[in-house]
Amino acid sequence: MFIPLCVLISLIVCDIGGAFEVPTIVRSPFLNEWTASDRVSQFSSGGSFTWTGLISVDNVTYVWWGDTLDSVAHKKTNLFDVQVTPTRTIYIMQAGLVNLNVTAFSPIEPTDLLRQSLPFAYLSLSLTLTATTEIDTNVSIYTYIDGDWTGNIEGVTSTGEVWRTVYLGDNVYHHCQFLNTTSTPEFGDQLNGGLTNVVYGMSLNTPGHITQCSGSSDCYDQWLATGRLYECNSSMSNPTVSAPGVLSPSGNQVLTLLWTLGMMRDPAITYTTPNGASQHRSPYFKSQYSNISSIVAFVLKDFDNATKRADDLVSLSTRAVMGSTELAISNGSDGNFNTSDVKLFMMDIGTSDRVNPISTLYAAFPFFLYVNPMYLGYLLEPLFEYQSSPQYPLPYAAVDVGLQYPNATGDNQPHNQGLDESGNMLIMSLAHARAANDTTLLVAYYDLLKSWTEFIATYALTPPQGNASPNSTTTLVQSTNLALKGVLSIQAMSEISHMLGQMDDSKRYSERASNDARVWSTVALASDKSHVLSNYGDSDSHWALIYNLYADRLLGMDLVNDSVYDLQSTYLKNMTYGTKSPFYGVPMDDTSDVGDAAWTMFTAAVVTDSIVRDVLLTALWTRLNATGSGPNLYNTTTGTSVSNNGEMGPANGAAFALLALTIPGLSVAASNSGNGNGSNSLSSQPHSLVGPVVGGVLGCRTFCASSHWLLLPEASSTTRDATIQFEPIRQ
């Protein structure tokens, strides 16, 4: 197995002259921010919310984060580069005589449900003096968020917000709650009423004294005039924090400040149960923490350990995938949270905002297989539950379990992707059972899987007209690629039947799949046997990316002869050799210029020529660098985006397509696989997240929130608002 060079890249250093979208705060479907790499996270540039960071250096004010609060002409920092890792976006800049390292950190916890469920991200700021500085420098740091963050959920309009400030020993935080009525609800330390709760916290473990203020423009004006804040608070206004002091060149003094931003809702998901009842599901962390103060204290205390754990994550697509999901649990009959009833819900970010969209999940499933397959099971279960219920009467798989996140209330509309979505479910179900060594879902929903297989068998070799996916504009008629998925899906059912001891079913489906595969290999090829046609009966000039070959390789079905892989690889090599520069990739087929990054990565994973593989992956990276964004769907000629393009969405998980092929036991025959006694607990040894960077830094969504911070140096007096200097740190 050849591993492309880009797989080994764990850090991107952006050329500031060619800005593109980078993930900054990507922790959940609603706390999910991507910004231009040359803007130092200007959140308010595309939305109504604000997050601002200013620094005064010897009475000259610079903007180091976000936008200014008014028309005051503050200087901009000199931004030297932006480094993007799987969990961090690091801005290196300079303000006067001070060097700044600004790091946005969104933890990813593949083996810890509690930590993964916490919708909090970190922002840290480290200050040092430039090497040429020989004098002490007066600095004052100021940050601010506004209450518009609470209205970030689509379809919800904020009519205002209420604020409170809480000191927690070594920490302090501002808590803002969304108001959806003209009356003020009960407001305290509990999550309640389904309202959005925004928390902006700060660690007090720093060599200085922090003050805060809640107010409108008063806090900002205080800081501009005096370099500090007075602790005047208003429950209906916007908060801030600040910190004046002195940086000394002696001993290479480093000052580091830490903030956290969180956005919580309870309930997190509205879910329709199999009996048709509406169920409000809570975020998983509620099973451990019942109040906001304990959550904030845990998050800030966990920063150092979270940083250490994040050092093992080196695939840039992880933030895009995990940041589109939320873990939710139900309440048991005894009123306690049921931690054995865990479900994972995915938002189709950048495309449609649907809930657990099957086609997008199929693009992302290599990521979940590789990182921790139990997450894939948590995503599949809501789909199974709904489609086995009386609420879903269709003979084929649905496209999702809800049209608008976070409402997983079902979607039983007829559609023309029945073969494709049913095949996706069968393939993912088999892959999950093998990777997790857990047949629980197969046992529970065997009859449903079997019914989908019977539907597929009706059309497998001659697919009816339909679209490639709910988000595709390509109409398929007798598609060879879709027909192949049907054949492979029938074989997947054979393997499922074998795992469950249903030997008659296994034999019948295996014979059907083998026969159909032989026919497909004959009628799907061009007359000169040079490549696979786009549709049956096409002239030899027609072609398509046959990305469904990926399932054959991934699951070790071996229904498609090696010669087909070779001829398809050779055809792609001839097609891409000597192409124009820049080369943005290969379209889905010869009828349009639209390319799909996810399916390109599936294709690259199974070509038999490493040169072709690298050309396909490099084209995606070239487009990202050249155009400033990286949607899943785009025009391969111009590099421009198309509508519903999937920017910064979970389909980026396709970047793990090549790595998923290395999972032990995934491609073994059913007779050699587990007996279905696998545990539902998360794997304690997930694979190392060393993955392709392609697809990892894709996107361009914006959203925003109001709080002011002021960091003051340690006081020699007892007055909290005294003007004091930092004690220089010396060797």
Side-chain angles (χ1 to χ4, degrees):
M1 176 66 63
F2 290 96
I3 304 295
L5 291 178
C6 64
V7 168
L8 304 179
I9 300 176
S10 62
L11 176 71
I12 297 177
V13 178
C14 305
D15 177 2
I16 300 305
F20 57 87
E21 299 294 328
V22 297
T24 47
I25 302 298
V26 181
R27 200 62 179 91
S28 73
F30 296 120
L31 191 59
N32 198 301
E33 288 312 307
W34 298 61
T35 57
S37 60
D38 64 342
R39 295 180 187 170
V40 198
S41 297
Q42 288 178 313
F43 298 102
S44 61
S45 62
S48 60
F49 50 82
T50 301
W51 189 1
T52 294
L54 304 175
I55 181 172
S56 175
V57 180
D58 289 336
N59 298 318
V60 178
T61 303
Y62 301 83
V63 181
W64 60 267
W65 189 254
D67 286 332
T68 56
L69 306 178
D70 54 24
S71 59
V72 177
H74 300 306
K75 288 190 174 183
K76 291 186 177 181
T77 56
N78 292 322
L79 181 61
F80 297 126
D81 63 36
V82 179
Q83 302 169 3
V84 183
T85 77
T87 58
R88 303 177 183 91
T89 300
I90 305 166
Y91 300 87
I92 307 299
M93 63 187 79
Q94 184 175 326
L97 300 176
V98 178
N99 297 317
L100 292 81
N101 178 310
V102 182
T103 300
F105 173 33
S106 301
I108 296 170
E109 305 285 356
T111 63
D112 192 317
L113 292 180
L114 171 62
R115 287 181 168 88
Q116 182 57 42
S117 70
L118 289 165
F120 281 78
Y122 299 100
L123 178 67
S124 63
L125 171 65
S126 294
L127 307 176
T128 59
L129 292 179
T130 59
T132 58
T133 304
E134 297 180 355
I135 59 174
D136 289 354
T137 302
N138 293 302
V139 296
S140 180
I141 300 125
Y142 170 99
T143 66
Y144 163 97
I145 66 170
D146 65 27
D148 289 336
W149 288 81
T150 59
N152 185 51
I153 298 178
E154 296 185 25
V156 176
T157 302
S158 175
T159 60
E161 67 275 343
V162 60
W163 291 89
R164 69 190 184 102
T165 301
V166 178
Y167 279 91
L168 291 173
D170 292 338
N171 308 306
V172 61
Y173 70 88
H174 291 297
H175 171 207
C176 178
Q177 188 176 90
F178 164 75
L179 296 179
N180 57 5
T181 65
T182 56
S183 62
T184 302
E186 180 181 352
F187 183 49
D189 207 29
Q190 306 297 317
L191 297 175
N192 58 60
L195 302 179
T196 300
N197 292 264
V198 172
V199 170
Y200 191 37
M202 187 176 186
S203 171
L204 301 177
N205 289 323
T206 187
H209 178 67
I210 297 169
T211 62
Q212 53 74 32
C213 173
S214 294
S216 54
S217 61
D218 294 345
C219 300
Y220 182 51
D221 293 340
Q222 284 177 24
W223 183 78
L224 287 177
T226 67
R228 59 183 181 179
L229 294 173
Y230 301 94
E231 296 188 22
C232 52
N233 292 304
S234 168
S235 64
M236 300 298 291
S237 301
N238 303 327
T240 40
V241 180
S242 164
V246 171
L247 280 176
S248 173
S250 302
N252 298 317
Q253 180 188 7
V254 178
L255 172 64
T256 299
L257 310 176
L258 174 66
W259 296 268
T260 186
L261 178 66
M263 182 180 291
M264 298 174 286
R265 310 176 331 279
D266 185 24
I269 296 288
T270 300
Y271 179 66
T272 299
T273 65
N275 64 9
S278 180
Q279 180 187 79
H280 295 306
R281 298 182 70 90
S282 295
Y284 186 90
F285 63 79
K286 284 292 296 292
S287 65
Q288 298 289 327
Y289 296 105
S290 60
N291 59 71
I292 295 171
S293 295
S294 60
I295 295 170
V296 176
F298 176 80
V299 168
L300 286 169
K301 182 179 179 180
D302 198 46
F303 173 73
D304 290 338
N305 289 330
T307 301
K308 294 175 183 177
R309 292 190 299 270
D311 291 339
D312 294 330
L313 305 177
V314 290
S315 173
L316 295 176
S317 61
T318 52
R319 265 192 283 183
V321 182
M322 295 304 290
S324 69
T325 65
E326 283 186 293
L327 285 159
I329 54 178
S330 62
N331 274 304
S333 57
D334 58 358
N336 296 320
F337 289 111
N338 184 2
T339 55
S340 65
D341 179 22
V342 180
K343 290 181 174 61
L344 188 60
F345 294 91
M346 172 185 286
M347 181 177 178
D348 197 18
I349 291 177
T351 302
S352 67
D353 293 344
R354 293 179 294 124
V355 186
N356 288 28
I358 293 178
S359 58
T360 303
L361 178 54
Y362 186 72
F365 91 107
F367 168 85
F368 293 105
L369 289 176
Y370 193 83
V371 173
N372 202 317
M374 292 313 301
Y375 280 115
L376 179 58
Y378 293 146
L379 284 160
L380 290 174
E381 188 166 10
L383 289 161
F384 274 123
E385 275 196 356
Y386 172 66
Q387 292 171 99
S388 63
S389 74
Q391 282 71 47
Y392 191 78
L394 302 176
Y396 45 79
V399 295
D400 51 56
V401 291
L403 297 175
Q404 179 67 59
Y405 197 94
N407 297 313
T409 53
D411 181 3
N412 57 13
Q413 301 176 69
H415 59 85
N416 60 359
Q417 295 94 44
L419 193 157
D420 193 46
E421 303 292 36
S422 300
N424 291 340
M425 287 296 294
L426 283 157
I427 291 168
M428 288 190 292
S429 297
L430 174 60
H432 165 259
R434 287 184 179 176
N437 191 29
D438 182 2
T439 59
T440 303
L441 293 177
L442 303 186
V443 172
Y445 301 104
Y446 183 80
D447 290 343
L448 180 60
L449 290 164
K450 189 175 177 180
S451 70
W452 288 336
T453 307
E454 294 298 327
F455 172 83
I456 291 173
T458 305
Y459 301 104
L461 274 176
T462 56
Q465 178 172 324
N467 290 341
S469 71
N471 305 320
S472 173
T473 58
T474 302
T475 300
L476 305 176
V477 182
Q478 305 287 294
S479 164
T480 58
N481 189 46
L482 185 55
L484 178 60
K485 178 174 285 185
V487 174
L488 298 175
S489 301
I490 295 173
Q491 180 61 30
M493 189 65 211
S494 172
E495 296 289 325
I496 289 170
S497 299
H498 196 292
M499 292 179 76
L500 301 187
Q502 302 289 336
M503 304 313 294
D504 290 343
D505 285 347
S506 178
K507 182 175 183 294
R508 179 165 62 92
Y509 290 130
S510 178
E511 290 175 350
R512 171 63 188 269
S514 297
N515 180 69
D516 285 358
R518 285 191 294 270
V519 175
W520 183 89
S521 296
T522 300
V523 300
L525 299 183
S527 60
D528 61 358
K529 312 297 183 186
S530 63
H531 65 283
V532 178
L533 297 169
S534 178
N535 301 296
Y536 296 137
D538 278 347
S539 63
D540 287 357
S541 62
H542 292 288
W543 55 269
L545 284 182
I546 310 300
Y547 61 85
N548 283 321
L549 286 168
Y550 180 71
D552 183 57
R553 276 287 189 257
L554 178 72
L555 298 171
M557 295 179 178
D558 296 329
L559 288 178
V560 181
N561 193 281
D562 288 345
S563 62
V564 175
Y565 287 89
D566 291 338
L567 63 87
Q568 195 70 0
S569 299
T570 299
Y571 192 79
L572 286 171
K573 184 175 184 178
N574 293 336
M575 183 189 305
T576 57
Y577 179 77
T579 53
K580 62 176 176 47
S581 181
F583 175 58
Y584 296 136
V586 177
M588 291 295 293
D589 57 41
D590 63 280
T591 64
S592 76
D593 292 327
V594 176
D596 188 303
W599 305 145
T600 297
M601 287 186 275
F602 273 40
T603 303
V606 297
V607 294
T608 56
D609 189 320
S610 61
I611 295 176
V612 178
R613 177 204 60 217
D614 293 345
V615 166
L616 292 174
L617 294 177
T618 301
L620 299 179
W621 183 240
T622 299
R623 186 202 174 277
L624 176 63
N625 274 324
T627 62
S629 62
N632 195 50
L633 297 176
Y634 64 97
N635 186 298
T636 56
T637 300
T638 64
T640 56
S641 302
V642 301
S643 61
N644 299 324
N645 52 56
E647 287 188 296
M648 88 266 170
N652 287 319
F656 279 73
L658 188 61
L659 290 168
L661 296 177
T662 68
I663 299 174
L666 191 58
S667 61
V668 298
S671 57
N672 297 322
S673 61
N675 61 7
N677 294 323
S679 168
N680 277 323
S681 62
L682 285 169
S683 168
S684 60
Q685 293 182 329
H687 296 278
S688 173
L689 301 186
V690 182
V693 299
V694 178
V697 192
L698 311 181
C700 73
R701 192 180 177 89
T702 311
F703 96 121
C704 274
S706 176
S707 177
H708 305 259
W709 291 112
L710 177 62
L711 172 63
L712 291 170
E714 290 191 6
S716 59
S717 67
T718 58
T719 56
R720 182 176 288 276
D721 59 350
T723 304
I724 309 293
Q725 293 185 336
F726 286 110
E727 180 65 23
I729 300 175
R730 306 189 184 278
Q731 292 181 328

